[in-house]
Amino acid sequence: MTRLIDNPPYPKWYYNVDTSLVTNVQVQKGEELVTITKEDDVWYFGDAEKTPVDEAQLSSIFASLGKPSFQRLAESRASDIAQHGLDDPSLILFLVTKESRQAENVTLVKEYLFYLGQPTEDGKAYYGQVPVAEGIPDVFQVDAGWVEALEAIATQPSYPHATTGEAQTSPSNTPEPEAD
């Protein structure tokens, strides 16, 4: 039974987000932070002016948020995250999704937080981690191209940047969902 818990007979997808439900995106690399938020079906950057996101920018951002070409377990219940560069992640991705369920008259809000560390020795992947409420989280590897596309969002000079003090790094400081 323990083997099934430690080594499930099915793949575990660490990044499995339905991008059609995303309403908030934050990508932070060092001091660079890009935030976009959907309000009344319009996307805005998280800068002080609430600059609208144009269609080309939105398309590029959401193309980067697609599912990575591969992800796999690197270390189950990792005790030394520093060896993977996750003690001080090089990239933080925070997403919020909202799904309205009309039949139940409810809006489901889910938050996702991903830490991405250093590249693997062969440079084909990066180490990542998803915080967990209890226990010790796994360290996984994810496609390097996917991570580099996310990094490009955070460092894109044409995107208005928020200050890093505005980053939401945990689900606890996300606004409560609006009532239907």
Side-chain angles (χ1 to χ4, degrees), residues 10-16 67-72 114 130:
Y10 51 87
K12 181 172 182 177
W13 302 114
Y14 295 95
Y15 182 86
N16 190 19
K67 197 169 187 176
S69 64
F70 75 85
Q71 48 189 324
R72 61 179 164 250
F114 302 93
V130 176

Side-chain angles (χ1 to χ4, degrees), residues 21-52:
L21 301 175
V22 170
T23 59
N24 181 281
V25 177
Q26 294 182 10
V27 183
Q28 182 175 349
K29 180 166 178 57
E31 296 297 315
E32 301 293 331
L33 170 67
V34 170
T35 300
I36 63 168
T37 304
K38 185 178 182 181
E39 296 176 14
D40 299 322
D41 292 327
V42 178
W43 286 92
Y44 298 96
F45 283 104
D47 60 328
E49 293 79 29
K50 284 183 67 173
T51 305

Side-chain angles (χ1 to χ4, degrees), residues 14 72-81 83-84 127-129 136-141:
Y14 295 95
R72 61 179 164 250
L73 179 66
E75 185 179 347
S76 179
R77 295 187 228 155
S79 57
D80 182 13
I81 61 172
Q83 71 178 340
H84 304 296
Y127 292 103
Q129 190 172 48
I136 301 170
D138 296 337
V139 170
F140 59 92
Q141 292 179 359

Side-chain angles (χ1 to χ4, degrees), residues 101-140:
R101 295 197 176 170
Q102 301 302 337
E104 294 110 7
N105 196 26
V106 134
T107 299
L108 298 176
V109 177
K110 291 184 182 179
E111 299 169 334
Y112 302 88
L113 182 60
F114 302 93
Y115 296 121
L116 297 158
Q118 64 194 28
T120 57
E121 287 184 23
D122 64 6
K124 294 180 181 177
Y126 279 77
Y127 292 103
Q129 190 172 48
V130 176
V132 294
E134 294 181 20
I136 301 170
D138 296 337
V139 170
F140 59 92

